[in-house]
């Protein structure tokens, strides 16, 4: 992986975190802006993009022009942006997730079990806390957790969003029963966890054929091939 060169979109909080982790791992990278062209990507293997809904189409199209895989962690997207991901995926490998943490992926797995065991017996409340500069509220991860529960008919009573300080991200699903409470929670202690996760996924995506991939594809492949530790830095 050391010979991998990353194209990192923009210079936001996540972009800088990815750059720092890449530096620590000895991985080469370059920042790409909206003034960049496909020629700026000639020495890059893959792009990692954490920007905004208004920018992700540009970076996705740039990857298509350069014929390199594209990873997006941008949230607050509309159905049009997801449709665009699917169009890109007909020509290049595309990966999208609201959260690049392996821990959040396994939180979804835990919820799959809880959904079956606790159905109609507990009330459900989702809460999320992020840094004060995070643009979207409710967070994309909280929306994914809610969608997972609602898909099985669960009535999610409410989602509480809090923006404060420099919090990396806390997501909690609380189940309240008659005489007991059950809480499933994930706390990101440092944004580096998302950066490491995105670089792990980049190494994996480079081995995939063209198509549209999400976190469950990555986790399923790791588990089925017993390569969880191999893909984790």
């Amino acid at each position: 992986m050391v010979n991998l060169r990353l194209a990192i979109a923009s210079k936001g909080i996540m972009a800088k975190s990815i750059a720092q982790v890449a530096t620590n791992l000895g991985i080469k990278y370059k920042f790409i802006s909206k003034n960049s062209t496909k020629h700026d990507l000639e020495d890059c293997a893959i792009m990692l993009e954490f920007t905004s809904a208004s920018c992700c189409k540009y970076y996705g199209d740039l990857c298509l022009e350069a014929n390199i895989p594209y990873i997006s962690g941008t949230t607050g997207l509309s159905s049009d942006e997801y449709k665009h991901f699917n169009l890109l995926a007909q020509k290049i490998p595309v990966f999208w997730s609201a959260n690049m943490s392996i821990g959040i992926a396994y939180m979804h797995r835990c919820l799959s079990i809880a959904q079956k065991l606790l159905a109609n017996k507990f009330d459900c409340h989702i809460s999320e806390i992020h840094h004060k500069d995070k643009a979207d509220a409710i967070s994309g991860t909280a929306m994914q957790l809610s969608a997972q529960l609602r898909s099985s008919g669960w009535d999610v009573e409410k989602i509480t969003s809090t923006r404060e300080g420099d919090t990396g991200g806390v997501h909690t699903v609380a189940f309240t029963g008659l005489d007991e409470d059950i809480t499933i929670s994930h706390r990101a202690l440092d944004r580096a966890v998302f950066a490491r996760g995105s670089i792990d996924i980049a190494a994996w995506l480079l081995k995939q054929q063209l198509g549209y991939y999400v976190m469950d594809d990555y986790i399923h492949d790791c588990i089925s091939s017993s390569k969880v530790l191999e893909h984790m830095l």
Side-chain angles (χ1 to χ4, degrees):
M1 188 183 293
V2 174
N3 294 325
L4 173 69
R5 182 183 289 273
L6 307 173
I8 305 175
S10 189
K11 288 188 178 180
I13 293 174
M14 267 304 300
K16 292 177 181 177
S17 181
I18 292 170
Q20 183 60 60
V21 170
T23 298
N24 294 342
L25 294 170
I27 297 173
K28 297 178 181 179
Y29 68 89
K30 65 173 9 178
F31 288 113
I32 301 298
S33 73
K34 291 192 72 174
N35 294 320
S36 300
T37 69
K38 67 177 182 179
H39 300 295
D40 296 307
L41 298 177
E42 289 178 351
D43 58 346
C44 295
I46 191 168
M47 180 184 287
L48 285 72
E49 176 266 317
F50 295 77
T51 59
S52 66
S54 62
C55 294
C56 67
K57 184 180 185 299
Y58 173 82
Y59 289 113
D61 287 342
L62 191 59
C63 288
L64 179 61
E65 290 180 34
N67 194 34
I68 63 172
Y70 169 54
I71 293 176
S72 176
T74 296
T75 57
L77 304 179
S78 69
S79 59
D80 288 339
E81 275 87 42
Y82 292 116
K83 289 178 182 177
H84 189 61
F85 287 160
N86 279 286
L87 289 175
L88 292 174
Q90 296 176 22
K91 300 290 182 64
I92 58 174
V94 175
F95 182 99
W96 177 84
S97 178
N99 194 304
M100 301 292 175
S101 161
I102 193 79
I104 283 291
Y106 285 111
M107 184 177 182
H108 279 286
R109 296 262 168 166
C110 290
L111 282 181
S112 295
I113 298 173
Q115 286 173 251
K116 298 173 183 177
L117 296 178
L118 307 179
N120 302 319
K121 299 177 182 178
F122 287 72
D123 295 327
C124 180
H125 169 227
I126 297 174
S127 63
E128 54 97 351
I129 307 173
H130 283 85
H131 61 89
K132 58 182 177 62
D133 294 322
K134 182 172 174 60
D136 57 323
I138 305 163
S139 74
T141 300
M143 294 294 288
Q144 281 190 316
L145 293 170
S146 175
Q148 178 181 350
L149 291 166
R150 293 180 190 277
S151 68
S152 61
W154 203 292
D155 181 20
V156 180
E157 290 192 338
K158 61 179 179 178
I159 303 177
T160 302
S161 296
T162 303
R163 299 289 175 264
E164 60 184 21
D166 193 40
T167 305
V170 182
H171 291 89
T172 302
V173 179
F175 298 97
T176 304
L178 182 61
D179 298 306
E180 59 185 338
D181 295 335
I182 300 171
T183 300
I184 300 175
S185 184
H186 176 271
R187 177 185 295 272
L189 302 179
D190 192 293
R191 289 190 189 90
V193 68
F194 308 120
R196 284 194 296 271
S198 63
I199 293 175
D200 286 341
I201 291 165
W204 174 82
L205 190 62
L206 284 168
K207 302 174 185 177
Q208 309 308 309
Q209 298 179 345
L210 60 85
Y212 179 49
Y213 300 91
V214 294
M215 183 61 85
D216 201 49
D217 297 312
Y218 171 66
I219 296 299
H220 182 268
D221 188 47
C222 290
I223 292 176
S224 63
S225 59
S226 300
K227 293 182 179 179
V228 176
L229 292 179
E230 178 181 322
H231 288 294
M232 294 177 68
L233 295 173

